[in-house]
Structures are given as C-alpha cells and as structure tokens.
Amino acid sequence: MADEAVSLIHHVELNIFKQFAAITHKHHIHYIALGGTMLGAVRHQGFIPWDDDMDVGMLRADYEQFLKVTSDDLKDTHYFLQTPWTDENYALSYSKLLDRNTFIEEKNNVNNARKGVFLDIFPLDKIPDSPARQRRQILDMRRLDSRIYLKLRYNVIDNPIRKFQNPLSEEQVETADDFKEQREAVMTMYNDKPALTNVKNLASQYAYDKEILSLDELNDIVNLPFEDTEIRVPADYDAILTRIYGDYMELPPENARTEKHIVRLITDNQEFEL
C-alpha cells in the first residue's frame, strides 16, 4: 500500500511540477532543482523512489516575479499557490504549489493551513561573507519562525482539543503577519549588496554550509531528464551534491529508504496510509 501511495504522490507531484515549469517558461523565470530533487534527477533520472516531495529554488527576484504572475496562470485550475500571504494559517517562509484535488497529513506537522500534495518553492537569498553575520541572520530568522509557529498553532502531535479552538482572531492574524514581514526582511537584508556572490535557501533542512550556492553556479544551468520531462540543475551539480551528500551515487541502506513527510494521502476518493 505504501509503494502504491508513493507512486500516486509522484504522479501528482510531476503534474504540479509541469504546471510550475510551464509558468516559469512562459514568464522567463529561472529556477533550479534543489536537494533530493536534484539528486533524483542525477542518480535516478526522476524521483528518488522512496522520496515524497519535490524541491525547487529561485533567486529572490525570480521568486517574487513568480508569486506576482501565478494567480492569473492558475485561474480555472485545481492548483493553489500557498504563501505566507495567501493562507493566513500558513507559517513557513517559502511557498508551496498545492493540488487542491488531494489531501495529505504530514509527519510531525499539525496545523490549520491548507493541505494537499505539493511542490516546495524556495527563495534563494544573498548571505554575508562573515560567519558571525551569517549566524546572526539565521538565528534571527529561526527566532521569528518560532514565534510564527506558536502564533499559528503549529504542533508536532495532534491534540483533540484543537478541533474545538476558535479561528484566529483578527489581532492574532495581524501579529503573525507582522512577524512574517520581519522574517522576510531578515531573509532579504543582504540582497542589495552587489559585492556578495553567495546565496542560500535559508529554510534549508541541511547544515548551513552544505547548501550555499554561488551566483556563478546559478548562471550555468543544464537540463536533465526527470521522469517523462526535464528539470533545470546547475551544470556543476557534481560539486553541489558532493557538498550535501558526500558520495551521492551510493544508495542509503534499505532501512533508511523511507518517506520523509507524508503519512496519509486522500485522492480520487481513496485513502492511503504511508
């Protein structure tokens, strides 16, 4: 059953990605595959078989352009662009393109934001060269993350009382929005510094140094096969994947080949437990 569910998730995610790629192509917006999606393209020419999400990234200017144009392009579709501003209950610092014809529950992530199979879309922001300033930026961002998660009632486990809670008050939403604006200011504080040449997905799950990218790496892009389509990756993907994973062509042990995020999927009136 789990294998069938992961195959269904891959099928939905691939269609989401194709919608995303069509929008970026139409508007000349640049993106790259990140993390496990880049690894999947290189090692498997598609999804890592046991993975259950897709990650892409964009320089902040492209990211903002994508957010601006997408609402028109998604009209009359079953997709929803979830951002800190389109879903008041959504606490994360990046965006998700959701399939509204699906519903999911995620591991260790209980909240009232909209749910569906998704594509993660991360902004890539400039970072300072100074390690001390790097630490200050990421700590300030994480402090604001924590405040937003608390305000929007994000929990690791479900609480039966949650269903009886009142919706967020106008004051609570405004406070959360203020924290979101502060967080974005922290994330983008170095983007106007021409001398800085490194960017980072500040919401990355990896250790800080592992997913730092140079602007040169982002300017040299190739297309790789990904299932029945193609995906953009930096031409120097070998160096990037080695930084993140070490010997990335070696498969992990079988007991580590498990889904990371989704524990329940509902689609086409069918329910799957992963």
Side-chain angles (χ1 to χ4, degrees):
M1 182 67 79
D3 288 345
E4 183 182 358
V6 172
S7 293
L8 281 169
I9 290 168
H10 287 173
H11 174 73
V12 175
E13 285 177 346
L14 190 62
N15 285 332
I16 299 173
F17 169 71
K18 288 175 180 177
Q19 178 74 53
F20 163 83
I23 294 171
T24 60
H25 178 75
K26 175 182 176 182
H27 297 283
H28 310 288
I29 295 171
H30 302 291
Y31 77 90
I32 60 165
L34 292 178
T37 303
M38 190 191 308
L39 174 58
V42 173
R43 192 172 69 192
H44 303 274
Q45 293 75 55
F47 291 101
I48 297 173
W50 52 89
D51 201 2
D52 61 2
D53 77 337
M54 284 189 76
D55 298 331
V56 296
M58 302 173 170
L59 288 172
R60 177 65 71 166
D62 285 306
Y63 179 83
E64 295 295 344
Q65 176 69 2
F66 181 81
L67 299 191
K68 187 183 299 184
V69 303
T70 300
S71 58
D72 283 342
D73 286 306
L74 295 182
K75 282 179 181 175
D76 304 318
T77 75
H78 57 276
Y79 297 108
F80 170 65
L81 184 64
Q82 185 176 45
T83 76
W85 316 110
T86 61
D87 182 346
E88 66 184 21
N89 291 296
Y90 181 67
L92 304 182
S93 60
Y94 51 93
S95 300
K96 293 177 180 282
L97 188 56
L98 299 183
D99 186 319
R100 294 184 295 169
N101 290 342
T102 64
F103 176 82
I104 61 168
E105 289 181 5
E106 293 183 87
K107 190 182 302 181
N108 301 327
N109 188 15
V110 178
N111 56 74
N112 294 320
R114 291 182 70 161
K115 302 289 191 301
V117 177
F118 58 86
L119 168 73
D120 280 333
I121 307 168
F122 294 96
L124 303 174
D125 291 297
K126 283 190 174 182
I127 56 170
D129 294 328
S130 158
R133 290 182 178 177
Q134 290 175 0
R135 285 194 295 273
R136 172 49 55 198
Q137 183 187 30
I138 201 71
L139 286 172
D140 285 348
M141 179 184 168
R142 289 173 178 167
R143 174 177 51 83
L144 288 161
D145 275 342
S146 297
R147 291 184 176 183
I148 297 165
Y149 298 154
L150 182 63
K151 184 62 65 175
L152 298 183
R153 304 168 181 168
Y154 273 54
N155 292 291
V156 173
I157 59 173
D158 204 357
N159 183 332
I161 298 173
R162 187 172 68 93
K163 66 182 68 173
F164 300 110
Q165 289 178 324
N166 291 326
L168 295 172
S169 68
E170 185 175 332
E171 182 180 358
Q172 287 172 312
V173 172
E174 288 177 356
T175 301
D177 282 351
D178 183 55
F179 288 148
K180 290 176 184 179
E181 288 174 359
Q182 291 180 46
R183 179 177 62 189
E184 192 160 298
V186 169
M187 296 173 73
T188 60
M189 64 190 300
Y190 294 103
N191 285 350
D192 63 349
K193 309 293 184 186
L196 296 177
T197 58
N198 287 335
V199 300
K200 178 170 173 57
N201 167 15
L202 289 165
S204 174
Q205 62 178 317
Y206 302 110
Y208 188 92
D209 290 340
K210 288 185 178 293
E211 208 174 12
I212 294 174
L213 300 164
S214 72
L215 293 178
D216 284 344
E217 286 173 326
L218 292 177
N219 286 330
D220 188 7
I221 299 297
V222 295
N223 288 332
L224 292 184
F226 194 92
E227 302 298 335
D228 64 355
T229 185
E230 291 186 332
I231 198 164
R232 292 166 53 91
V233 303
D236 201 11
Y237 58 78
D238 177 68
I240 296 167
L241 291 175
T242 300
R243 286 202 300 266
I244 299 174
Y245 301 107
D247 183 3
Y248 61 87
M249 293 302 288
E250 182 178 350
L251 295 177
E254 287 196 26
N255 61 5
R257 302 176 194 178
T258 58
E259 302 78 36
K260 296 184 300 182
H261 301 95
I262 299 172
V263 295
R264 187 163 74 103
L265 166 70
I266 299 176
T267 182
D268 292 332
N269 296 315
Q270 292 181 288
E271 181 172 338
F272 301 87
E273 301 285 340
L274 281 78

